[in-house]
Amino acid sequence: MESKRQQKFAGVLQEELATIFQREGAEYLPNTLVTITKVRVSPDLAVAKVYLSFLNTNETSISIATVNSHAGEIRYKLGARIRHQVRVVPSLTFFLDDTNIYVEHMDKIFDKISRERKEQPDSEDESE
């Protein structure tokens, strides 16, 4: 469980990274909207895991690899923004947030179950 300090720091990182991606994200991923869905920070605040979601792209694995290849540059830009608030700028690792993919998958399963129930005749009606 994250401490209040970790949660506050993660919130600051999420805000600042969102601003960086909003203003300069087109340099890394043109025509792609990047959303920072969650940031997890280690107890010593030295490592941050950043979870991203992408819109307007079919190649999420390439997108996450591209962002990870620019992690040092993004960390530098983040450091310039938060240098007066922290002692050490954390190292950044980016991951794909697949929550939306999971939700879509579950929706398809529930739709399939719903259609199957509608197609089956009620067994109670036949016994009467």
Side-chain angles (χ1 to χ4, degrees), residues 41-107:
V41 184
S42 64
D44 63 354
L45 308 181
V47 178
K49 293 181 179 179
V50 183
Y51 294 88
L52 305 175
S53 176
F54 300 99
L55 291 175
N56 295 338
T57 184
N58 294 329
E59 298 294 331
T60 54
S61 58
I62 293 172
S63 298
I64 204 75
T66 302
V67 172
N68 270 315
S69 69
H70 292 281
E73 185 180 338
I74 295 168
R75 182 176 183 240
Y76 178 79
K77 290 177 181 180
L78 176 67
R81 298 180 68 85
I82 64 171
R83 69 179 177 267
H84 299 298
Q85 300 173 34
V86 297
R87 289 184 194 161
V88 177
V89 178
S91 63
L92 303 173
T93 309
F94 296 95
F95 297 94
L96 177 64
D97 181 8
D98 58 356
T99 305
N100 290 340
I101 297 167
Y102 179 74
V103 167
E104 287 175 14
H105 177 70
M106 294 305 293
D107 282 344

